[in-house]
């Protein structure tokens, strides 16, 4: 996952030419560079998740994110 994320960040221009523009990113992140920045943000997110999986810290993050849903179950 870390290598894939790094390649997404490194080759964002290639991804733009092969997969095209993403309207959401162009609208919210800028006129010309929005899609490139969006691809880079996706790559950084994949790298972050990859490091969490690699260091076995993903469970703590998932418990922290979903703990409000489990707190109100009334078990």
């Amino acid at each position: 996952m870390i290598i894939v994320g790094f390649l997404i960040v490194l080759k964002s221009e290639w991804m733009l030419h092969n997969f095209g523009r993403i309207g959401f990113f162009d609208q919210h992140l800028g006129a010309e560079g929005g899609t490139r920045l969006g691809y880079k943000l996706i790559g950084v997110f994949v790298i972050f998740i990859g490091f969490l999986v690699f260091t076995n810290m993903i469970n703590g993050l998932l418990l922290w994110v979903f703990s409000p849903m489990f707190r109100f179950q009334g078990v």
Side-chain angles (χ1 to χ4, degrees):
M1 286 180 74
I2 297 169
I3 293 171
V4 170
F6 178 73
L7 289 174
I8 291 172
V9 171
L10 187 66
K11 300 292 185 177
S12 62
E13 185 69 29
W14 179 84
M15 292 188 63
L16 176 66
H17 288 304
N18 287 305
F19 297 114
R21 296 193 169 276
I22 300 173
F24 176 82
F25 290 139
D26 281 336
Q27 181 181 4
H28 295 291
L29 297 178
E32 285 298 317
T35 300
R36 286 180 193 88
L37 180 60
Y39 283 134
K40 289 178 191 268
L41 288 174
I42 291 170
V44 169
F45 181 72
V46 170
I47 291 170
F48 177 71
I49 297 298
F51 273 120
L52 287 177
V53 169
F54 181 70
T55 59
N56 200 21
M57 295 174 66
I58 192 74
N59 293 335
L61 178 71
L62 291 176
L63 285 174
W64 176 73
V65 168
F66 293 117
S67 66
M69 290 191 310
F70 298 129
R71 190 176 337 157
F72 298 112
Q73 280 185 339
V75 175

